[in-house]
Amino acid sequence: MLAVGAFALAACEQKKPAAPEAASTAPVAATPALTLPVSINAVMVSLVDHSSDPIFDVATKPPRTDDAWRDVEYHSYQMAVAGKLIQLAGTGPGDAAWVATPEWKAFSEQLSAHGMEALKLAQAKDAKGFEAVGNKIIDDCEACHMKFKPDIPSMKIMHKPDFPHKPGT
Ligand code: HEC
């Protein structure tokens, strides 16, 4: 085994470029950019929108059990992560152009930061605090939609009316 290992090592040595100085300045092969396997349209509906409704509900219908608070905590994690995820392009026709703009990045970062604020409130079971954070999150949705959202979703994926979310039913 040792001999094989030594041989393999020797083979590797031989593959070294003849002129290491020149090789070190050569461009490194680019790693393919990380992309989402679905469209941003799909992420909007299944993750961003889906986690936002229960967060918006907290101020008016405060959770009454530890389990219900845990749900709000998980939805807040989802929102915080979604704001980062949507900075990656997916399979939608507009995705790559959107994520390349500084405005998109700024809106997404805000969404993630407000998801983190919601998370802290959920962990403190502070229902009152959700009124302010809910408003901030709605502002994030609207600001970005006003600038970027096409009238008809590019992949025709919509939250409503195909899925009228009614929490708890
Ligand atoms: C960084 C920008 C951005 C933010 C922030 C954002 N959205 Fe979106 N959203 C979009 C874009 C762009 C589309 C359209 C995607 C497409 O058509 O390919 C979209 C589509 C949607 C859709 C599906 C289309 C429809 O009309 O039903 C829903 C639902 C949605 N967003 C909800 C939300 C909610 C709720 C929030 C806030 C919690 C939010 N979005 C935050 C950019 C954003």
Side-chain angles (χ1 to χ4, degrees), residues 107 138-151:
F107 289 139
I138 289 177
D139 287 349
D140 296 337
C141 315
E142 287 179 354
C144 191
H145 284 182
M146 209 165 330
K147 170 113 185 101
F148 291 101
K149 191 159 103 57
D151 288 341

Side-chain angles (χ1 to χ4, degrees), residues 86-133:
I86 56 171
Q87 296 183 42
L88 297 176
T91 56
D95 295 6
W98 291 330
V99 304
T101 66
E103 293 96 332
W104 182 278
K105 185 173 166 48
F107 289 139
S108 309
E109 284 294 317
Q110 282 288 88
L111 190 69
S112 182
H114 294 146
M116 289 305 290
E117 277 183 32
L119 176 63
K120 294 206 185 73
L121 293 169
Q123 286 167 341
K125 298 193 170 81
D126 177 356
K128 271 211 153 73
F130 271 82
E131 195 177 329
V133 87

Side-chain angles (χ1 to χ4, degrees), residues 22-90:
S24 67
T25 56
V28 181
T31 323
L34 185 61
T35 55
L36 301 174
V38 298
S39 62
I40 286 179
N41 187 179
V43 178
M44 275 296 146
V45 173
S46 63
L47 186 61
V48 177
D49 188 81
H50 202 63
S51 57
S52 70
D53 275 347
I55 290 176
F56 296 150
D57 282 346
V58 175
T60 49
K61 289 177 231 149
R64 273 177 279 161
T65 62
D66 286 350
D67 268 3
W69 271 115
R70 181 65 60 86
D71 242 358
V72 177
E73 185 182 349
Y74 288 175
H75 287 123
S76 304
Y77 279 126
Q78 289 166 15
M79 186 65 75
V81 171
K84 298 287 178 177
L85 267 185
I86 56 171
Q87 296 183 42
L88 297 176

